Amino acid sequence: MEDILIANNKKKSSELIEELRGLTPIFECTIATTQTAKIQGISAAGAYPEITDYTPPADVELLFYGKCKCISGVPVTPDGIPTPALITMSALELAEISTFVVNAGLNIKPYVPFMEVGGKSGESIVTGKAVSEVQEVYERSVLLGKELAKTADYLVMGESIPGGTTTALAVLLELGINAEGKVSSSMPNNPHDIKIDTVNKAMKSALLTKGALKDSPLEAISKVGDPMQVVHTGIAIGAKDKIPVMLAGGTQMAAILALIDATVSNIDNIFIGTTKWIIEDKTSDLKGLVNQIADIPILAANLDFNTSNQGLQKYEEGAVKEGVGAGGASIAAILRREEINKEVLLKRIEHNYEKLIN
Amino acid sequence: MEDILIANNKKKSSELIEELRGLTPIFECTIATTQTAKIQGISAAGAYPEITDYTPPADVELLFYGKCKCISGVPVTPDGIPTPALITMSALELAEISTFVVNAGLNIKPYVPFMEVGGKSGESIVTGKAVSEVQEVYERSVLLGKELAKTADYLVMGESIPGGTTTALAVLLELGINAEGKVSSSMPNNPHDIKIDTVNKAMKSALLTKGALKDSPLEAISKVGDPMQVVHTGIAIGAKDKIPVMLAGGTQMAAILALIDATVSNIDNIFIGTTKWIIEDKTSDLKGLVNQIADIPILAANLDFNTSNQGLQKYEEGAVKEGVGAGGASIAAILRREEINKEVLLKRIEHNYEKLIN
């Protein structure tokens, strides 16, 4: 079995894989929190809604220290399944990939070096005023993307933001994409109804109809989006004229793709890196979202946790699926060093998992 | 005339120049402010003492935007001579060198992307309690240095911290280095008396004698140092096992060298990059300081402003001399691209100067 699956545009994807092999990427991880994530039933990125403020900082602490500092243990879903940051950490560690964290808006700051671009934690989208100061944060993020592109061969852009698929849904709809029932979830039973209901409330508060902001991407974020989106859009736009940019994540990255397209009408050099669990997910449709925007490469790390220990096996049942750029970091690690394949990666993930639970 | 002068260890310096030619560095700029800088007569990094809070953020804004945002105009000395960030900006722009700003401790934050490592603006050293949380900030800076070293071929570490030579003097003395009368100044008439008087007061408050903290570098910083020192020491130590690290500055970098040496007893891969004005300065002695610690390479950008316009000519009279990694950034630009030499660099500096004053 292959280590990297191709899920869209076979020709471009194959060429891209060959182009990136052996190169030195930077892994950038944008983290943020919102009040949207605290709506009951929206997010499984934390054992209970209020703790989602700690999930993104804890995730990046795991990347730097191999353990969390702002919480004890590691972030888990309400069912106790560990954060995908465990996968990301293992991949970055194995391939010695440089990691930069960007604070898009947090209430709790991580105990690691992180980049500031002026962002603040997001409000609930049901207010219709989700994100403040998008223009300033966008501009600084573009600058950051330009600097990263001067030193990296390519960029892998991961995220940790609880509730991110709901804000992705809202932004996709505002940009005129048919997205209902298509965004993914960290839960095995994707709560589409709660998400659609939340987004409908948001649009009502913001006095918006679907597609109304298709030419105003930053306004869409400021009204019904999240802080990660403005930073990711800015960094990608700043970097993509110089180097390939991998949006590392699930359906949230379709929203970023749509935002980039609506901002600069050019998605050259942009592609998506995700996990097998996202592309095999029957409750969402990443490919269907992406192809409404552009026929770009989608790569997926072919991780297989079927024979692994209990906590990790749950990934095969549809829990978690993706996050903290787990799929993209895995792809980047496999591409960077010949000796890294999905088996080597799995061993490291299991090893790190054992260390963490003991 | 050569573009890069060798000021110490001719053999190692020549080898280093050949080793670095054509490589892709990262320029890292650590910025901080302190109450020490507000002591009358200590610093010329600002038109008057209170404005030194704005000088470091304004300096890095100049690097990113070609103009400042948090102040109008650019930082100047009390005599109106422009900041050396003008040199740095021109060098980085010409050679397209990736720039990362690290906030070591500021009251005023710059409108650029910058890295946070948990630092706070420094107190006056005369309190004997100059810098808080040095251990935490040090550890995060080491982590940052490791990440930078995974992506850069080598690191150029500049700084902007008003009053930095006084805190350098204090730390050098605490580490047992004979430093009195040897640190440089941004003023043509180096105010050694004010500096020594300030340092004596600091030592008295901290109940210290010279050399007392030669085995406790972080304690020396926390009592009589500045926030830049802890970040610079940490980043350099984090990076140097993997890549060459250029400490880009004047005599402040001798203090960093001493701090690194006292922390890890190993200064392999560390060298100094500065300006001609520092090595020709009769009121200070960078080489004499460095060689008390180790016989490492010292390179100097051979910039010549003699035939330039008025504001810049003052550099030839001993004003400013160095700062914001001006010498190091110039060296890195010259080494990176064959077509960049001191004449090309001077033209760009003059061009940028004209743009700024008009």
Side-chain angles (χ1 to χ4, degrees):
Chain A
M1 281 286 283
E2 301 151 296
D3 297 313
I4 300 170
L5 304 172
I6 291 176
N8 201 43
N9 198 326
K10 204 156 185 175
K11 183 168 177 293
K12 270 201 190 170
S13 294
S14 310
E15 288 167 4
L16 187 64
I17 287 175
E18 292 321 308
E19 182 191 334
L20 301 182
R21 221 179 270 284
L23 296 189
T24 303
I26 282 179
F27 180 78
E28 179 278 326
C29 190
T30 303
I31 56 176
T33 53
T34 66
Q35 293 302 313
T36 307
K38 296 180 187 169
I39 297 168
Q40 195 64 43
I42 286 268
S43 174
Y48 51 92
E50 287 307 319
I51 208 170
T52 58
D53 270 351
Y54 289 84
T55 300
D59 276 339
V60 296
E61 287 169 0
L62 195 60
L63 300 187
F64 276 80
Y65 299 103
K67 62 181 182 189
C68 301
K69 291 203 157 190
C70 69
I71 61 170
S72 62
V74 299
V76 292
T77 69
D79 299 331
I81 305 160
T83 171
L86 184 65
I87 301 172
T88 314
M89 163 201 166
S90 305
L92 298 175
E93 184 181 271
L94 265 176
E96 294 178 83
I97 292 171
S98 187
T99 304
F100 287 89
V101 171
V102 183
N103 169 19
L106 295 167
N107 291 321
I108 307 295
K109 305 286 166 67
Y111 287 94
V112 302
F114 63 86
M115 196 67 76
E116 277 288 357
V117 288
K120 290 188 180 57
S121 181
E123 291 304 318
S124 168
I125 59 170
V126 303
T127 64
K129 293 173 187 167
V131 185
S132 60
E133 294 172 82
V134 290
Q135 188 64 40
E136 165 70 19
V137 174
Y138 171 75
E139 283 170 18
R140 280 206 226 178
S141 300
V142 171
L143 287 176
L144 176 56
K146 286 187 185 180
E147 296 310 315
L148 290 168
K150 288 178 194 164
T151 179
D153 290 338
Y154 68 102
L155 199 56
V156 179
M157 299 182 60
E159 56 64 46
S160 175
I161 175 167
T165 54
T166 302
T167 43
L169 172 62
V171 161
L172 283 163
L173 291 174
E174 276 316 313
L175 296 178
I177 310 292
N178 171 12
E180 267 174 48
K182 292 182 194 294
V183 296
S184 55
S185 167
S186 51
M187 303 173 201
N189 299 311
N190 196 333
H192 285 302
D193 289 352
I194 301 176
K195 292 181 187 180
I196 290 170
D197 179 54
T198 303
V199 170
N200 283 337
K201 283 182 188 155
M203 289 186 180
K204 206 174 160 193
S205 296
L207 308 172
L208 290 173
T209 53
K210 287 178 197 168
L213 297 178
K214 69 184 173 50
D215 297 321
S216 307
L218 290 186
E219 194 180 340
I221 298 173
S222 77
K223 291 188 167 163
V224 299
D226 67 52
M228 179 281 288
Q229 292 166 343
V230 62
V231 170
H232 247 45
T233 303
I235 293 176
I237 288 172
K240 77 181 189 57
D241 290 344
K242 196 148 184 229
I243 56 169
V245 172
M246 182 203 290
L247 304 177
T251 51
Q252 292 180 60
M253 295 305 145
I256 305 302
L257 182 67
L259 286 163
I260 296 167
D261 187 49
T263 306
V264 291
S265 308
N266 180 341
I267 47 73
D268 289 353
N269 251 353
I270 303 282
F271 67 107
I272 288 179
T274 190
T275 63
K276 178 196 76 174
W277 305 300
I278 288 288
I279 60 166
E280 289 182 351
D281 180 29
K282 301 239 178 314
T283 75
S284 69
D285 185 9
L286 174 61
K287 195 176 158 176
L289 290 170
V290 166
N291 281 310
Q292 290 179 61
I293 307 155
D295 183 19
I296 62 164
I298 303 179
L299 310 180
N302 193 12
L303 294 168
D304 187 341
F305 288 176
N306 274 306
T307 61
S308 193
N309 43 37
Q310 266 194 323
L312 295 175
Q313 266 191 34
K314 297 284 180 189
Y315 276 69
E316 295 296 337
E317 295 166 23
V320 186
K321 295 185 194 74
E322 174 61 291
V324 199
S330 299
I331 294 166
I334 291 165
L335 290 176
R336 186 159 192 218
R337 298 217 174 127
E338 239 174 292
E339 68 272 22
I340 302 178
N341 54 37
K342 64 191 172 96
E343 289 79 22
V344 170
L345 188 50
L346 179 60
K347 257 189 205 139
R348 181 64 70 107
I349 294 165
E350 288 174 337
H351 170 78
N352 284 331
Y353 182 69
E354 294 300 331
K355 266 206 313 200
L356 276 168
I357 58 171
N358 292 330
Chain B
M1 277 290 278
E2 302 151 293
D3 297 313
I4 300 170
L5 304 173
I6 291 176
N8 201 41
N9 198 327
K10 204 158 185 174
K11 183 168 175 292
K12 270 201 190 172
S13 294
S14 310
E15 288 167 2
L16 186 65
I17 288 174
E18 292 321 309
E19 181 192 335
L20 301 182
R21 221 178 271 282
L23 296 189
T24 303
I26 282 178
F27 180 77
E28 180 278 327
C29 190
T30 303
I31 56 175
T33 53
T34 66
Q35 294 302 314
T36 307
K38 297 179 186 170
I39 297 168
Q40 195 64 44
I42 286 267
S43 174
Y48 50 92
E50 288 305 319
I51 207 168
T52 59
D53 269 350
Y54 289 84
T55 300
D59 276 340
V60 296
E61 287 168 0
L62 196 59
L63 301 187
F64 276 79
Y65 300 103
K67 62 180 181 190
C68 302
K69 291 203 155 192
C70 68
I71 61 170
S72 61
V74 298
V76 292
T77 68
D79 299 331
I81 305 159
T83 170
L86 184 65
I87 300 172
T88 314
M89 163 200 166
S90 305
L92 298 176
E93 184 181 272
L94 264 178
E96 293 178 82
I97 292 171
S98 188
T99 304
F100 288 89
V101 170
V102 183
N103 168 19
L106 295 167
N107 292 321
I108 307 295
K109 305 285 166 70
Y111 286 94
V112 302
F114 62 86
M115 196 67 75
E116 277 288 355
V117 287
K120 291 189 179 59
S121 181
E123 291 305 317
S124 169
I125 60 170
V126 302
T127 64
K129 294 173 186 166
V131 184
S132 60
E133 295 172 82
V134 288
Q135 188 64 38
E136 164 71 18
V137 174
Y138 171 74
E139 284 170 17
R140 281 206 225 178
S141 300
V142 172
L143 287 176
L144 176 57
K146 286 187 184 181
E147 296 309 316
L148 291 168
K150 289 179 194 163
T151 181
D153 290 339
Y154 69 101
L155 199 56
V156 179
M157 299 182 60
E159 56 63 47
S160 174
I161 175 166
T165 55
T166 301
T167 44
L169 172 62
V171 162
L172 283 162
L173 292 174
E174 276 315 314
L175 296 178
I177 310 292
N178 171 12
E180 267 173 48
K182 293 182 192 293
V183 296
S184 54
S185 166
S186 50
M187 304 172 199
N189 299 313
N190 197 334
H192 285 301
D193 290 351
I194 301 177
K195 292 181 187 180
I196 290 169
D197 179 53
T198 304
V199 170
N200 283 339
K201 283 181 188 154
M203 288 186 181
K204 205 174 161 194
S205 297
L207 307 172
L208 291 172
T209 54
K210 286 177 197 169
L213 297 178
K214 70 183 172 50
D215 297 320
S216 307
L218 290 186
E219 194 180 340
I221 297 173
S222 77
K223 292 189 167 162
V224 300
D226 68 51
M228 180 282 287
Q229 292 166 342
V230 62
V231 170
H232 246 46
T233 303
I235 292 177
I237 287 174
K240 78 180 189 52
D241 290 343
K242 197 149 185 228
I243 56 169
V245 173
M246 183 203 289
L247 303 176
T251 51
Q252 292 180 60
M253 295 306 145
I256 305 301
L257 182 67
L259 286 163
I260 296 168
D261 187 48
T263 306
V264 291
S265 308
N266 180 343
I267 47 72
D268 289 352
N269 250 354
I270 303 281
F271 67 107
I272 288 179
T274 190
T275 63
K276 178 195 78 176
W277 304 300
I278 287 288
I279 61 167
E280 288 181 352
D281 180 29
K282 301 243 178 311
T283 76
S284 69
D285 186 9
L286 174 62
K287 195 177 159 175
L289 290 170
V290 166
N291 281 311
Q292 290 178 61
I293 307 155
D295 183 20
I296 62 165
I298 303 179
L299 310 181
N302 194 11
L303 294 167
D304 187 342
F305 288 175
N306 274 306
T307 61
S308 194
N309 44 37
Q310 266 194 321
L312 295 174
Q313 265 189 36
K314 296 283 178 188
Y315 275 70
E316 295 296 337
E317 294 166 24
V320 186
K321 295 184 193 77
E322 173 60 293
V324 200
S330 299
I331 293 166
I334 290 165
L335 289 176
R336 186 157 192 218
R337 299 221 171 123
E338 236 173 294
E339 68 270 24
I340 302 177
N341 54 36
K342 65 190 170 99
E343 288 80 20
V344 169
L345 188 50
L346 179 60
K347 260 192 202 136
R348 181 64 70 107
I349 295 165
E350 287 175 336
H351 170 79
N352 284 330
Y353 182 67
E354 294 300 330
K355 265 206 313 197
L356 276 168
I357 57 170
N358 292 329

